Amino acid sequence: MATLGMTAADREALETFKQDVVDPSMTALILVDFWAEWCGPCKQLTPVLEKVAADYAAKGVKLVKINVDEKKAIAAQFRVQSIPTVYAIFQGQIVADLTPARTESQLTRALDQILAQIPVQGEAQELEAEIEPLVAMGEEVLASGDAERAISIFQQIYDMAPEDPAVIAGLARALTAAGRVDDARALLESTPEKLKSDAAIARARAAIELAGAAPAENTAEYQQRIATNPDDYEARYELAGALMASGDRDAAADQLFEIISRDREWNEGAARKRLLQFLEVVGLEDPWASVQRRRLSAILFT
């Protein structure tokens, strides 16, 4: 910032700004709110900004308020024309103009987008980096079929990060795999409302629904019914659920694809819906899910 021709008070204000905003912005996201005592909209925005900043403090977000009447040099440097004006600053640079965002939802949406693109180093980011390999370990153990050990791993991570959706979902799916469906369901019901729409939570919810709808059981009855009547779609549908619950996902998918190829509209598209549920449980990023999506497209669009 230029200091030529400034008073001693102005230079002191700039030095304070450097200490309060520029230096911390090297690792944190600083929200700079330009305001004044006489500004009604500023007073309306202040509690919203303070709440959002407090909610995002662990993610490396800090709020700094600049009174334009007291810090005219700072306001001039930023060419502030009207107030309130709110800038997001990272590593000494303005990365976003948040002035149009006046509600909590608008601000949180904007901050989520910004934080996804810059390497802010807050407590939340440090914790995420710490638990990421542990979550991967839990997922690997769960995929190997050792549900009890997966529960132990995810429970320890959950104690560290009880509001991480990947951790909550991992623990819920491990509990489900171990037959503790009620415990898994209770865990998801206790999840904060803001996390319930997360894709990982949706995946765990699908696993619980699948476990409740299709317990692993003796499949001989279904197989006999299909052998007698290949168009017994109800038997194929139930067989698919039992096969999936027992871990034979290829055979489970085959049964559903057989229904779809014979009568894709059977039971209001139930076979397609259950297949999509299977894919969600496995994880849409899983290579197996990609293969099944291509198979489904080939049937539906030919």
Side-chain angles (χ1 to χ4, degrees), residues 244 248-254 257 275 278-280 282-295:
M244 190 69 180
D248 193 348
R249 59 189 187 183
D250 287 333
D254 287 345
F257 278 119
L275 177 64
F278 287 178
L279 302 187
E280 189 171 32
V282 172
L284 297 179
E285 74 288 349
D286 190 286
W288 181 84
S290 298
V291 171
Q292 308 316 312
R293 286 202 302 272
R294 288 195 293 272
R295 290 180 65 187

Side-chain angles (χ1 to χ4, degrees), residues 95-108:
V95 295
D97 181 356
L98 300 180
T99 304
R102 298 301 178 91
T103 67
E104 183 177 344
S105 61
Q106 290 172 337
L107 283 166
T108 56

Side-chain angles (χ1 to χ4, degrees), residues 210-285:
L210 178 61
E217 56 184 89
N218 191 330
T219 61
E221 176 189 348
Y222 300 135
Q223 292 170 337
Q224 180 59 46
R225 285 170 56 184
I226 294 168
T228 302
N229 177 15
D231 288 334
D232 188 340
Y233 301 142
E234 185 67 36
R236 289 188 183 278
Y237 184 85
E238 295 299 335
L239 177 59
L243 289 169
M244 190 69 180
S246 67
D248 193 348
R249 59 189 187 183
D250 287 333
D254 287 345
Q255 291 299 328
L256 295 179
F257 278 119
E258 189 65 29
I259 297 173
I260 296 169
S261 63
R262 288 168 178 263
D263 184 356
R264 68 183 63 176
E265 299 303 325
W266 172 77
N267 197 14
E268 298 182 347
R272 179 179 56 82
K273 293 175 183 177
R274 172 156 285 194
L275 177 64
L276 294 177
Q277 185 181 48
F278 287 178
L279 302 187
E280 189 171 32
V281 170
V282 172
L284 297 179
E285 74 288 349

